Amino acid sequence: MEINNPAVQLAITAAARSLARAEQCRATLEKKLLQKEFDEETVKTALDYLESKKYLDDARYASMWIRNHEAFKPQGKIRILLELTRRGVKKNIAENAIMEYFIDDKEESLCEEAFLKLSSKKKDQQKLFKSLADRGFSYSIIQKTFKKYKEALDGTE
């Protein structure tokens, strides 16, 4: 794909600068380029070009975002899907990245990690349950975690 349009070349350069700083999704870059007053067709062409060259890849962005985010705040599949779609990643791409990341009992171990952090703050069981649900862990995983740490919970009431 050859780009002869100077406006598209400028948009590619602006997008490439943003990508050089951090991995980004198509929707974020589109928004940034539109704010820089590039027209929609120029932005679409520039982003299509970057995708064709593999500089822009929403699947790679979603996978990277999940790994980076998990290090700071363990969350469940539900919350991660919500966060990625809010950022403009298509739902099917986000779901695939989540499926790749959450193999085996990964979500259960993240729930346990969050549980231990939150329970150390002496929250009662209802607040603890709600906090885990707010982080996107499913009811069944939260229940499993509560059962595993029942003795610790019984001591906090």
Side-chain angles (χ1 to χ4, degrees):
M1 174 187 251
E2 191 174 315
I3 305 295
N4 295 324
N5 183 330
V8 173
Q9 289 176 342
L10 284 173
I12 290 170
T13 301
R17 280 191 200 116
S18 287
L19 287 168
R21 287 189 291 278
E23 189 76 42
Q24 299 186 39
C25 66
R26 184 180 176 108
T28 301
L29 274 179
E30 181 177 359
K31 184 177 177 182
K32 287 179 180 183
L33 292 175
L34 290 171
Q35 286 174 344
K36 291 182 181 207
E37 299 184 6
F38 289 104
D39 66 83
E40 287 182 27
E41 188 58 38
T42 298
V43 170
K44 181 188 178 320
T45 304
L47 296 181
D48 288 347
Y49 174 80
L50 290 168
E51 281 180 336
S52 75
K53 298 293 185 185
K54 303 290 185 211
Y55 296 126
L56 176 62
D57 184 341
D58 278 3
R60 185 177 63 224
Y61 168 81
S63 294
M64 189 174 283
W65 187 90
I66 292 169
R67 282 193 312 275
N68 290 340
H69 193 71
E70 182 263 326
F72 299 105
K73 189 171 185 180
Q75 294 181 322
K77 294 176 184 177
I78 299 165
R79 181 67 182 264
I80 290 172
L81 179 62
L82 178 66
E83 293 290 334
L84 285 171
T85 54
R86 276 187 190 159
R87 285 170 167 68
V89 176
K90 292 180 182 169
K91 186 176 180 183
N92 64 323
I93 293 172
E95 287 172 336
N96 287 339
I98 289 167
M99 283 176 28
E100 287 175 13
Y101 185 74
F102 285 100
I103 53 174
D104 300 325
D105 296 331
K106 180 73 172 175
E107 189 173 19
E108 289 176 20
S109 64
L110 288 173
C111 186
E112 289 175 17
E113 182 182 327
F115 173 91
L116 293 171
K117 282 182 184 177
L118 293 169
S119 63
S120 69
K121 296 177 183 174
K122 305 287 189 221
K123 290 189 173 200
D124 67 36
Q125 286 188 30
Q126 280 186 316
K127 288 181 180 177
L128 185 56
F129 193 97
K130 183 182 179 326
S131 294
L132 292 170
D134 288 347
R135 288 186 177 202
F137 295 106
S138 70
Y139 178 80
S140 62
I141 289 176
I142 296 170
Q143 284 292 91
K144 209 182 260 188
T145 302
F146 268 63
K147 284 179 185 172
K148 184 174 182 176
Y149 292 98
K150 184 172 181 5
E151 288 179 19
L153 284 174
D154 291 342
T156 61
E157 289 191 272

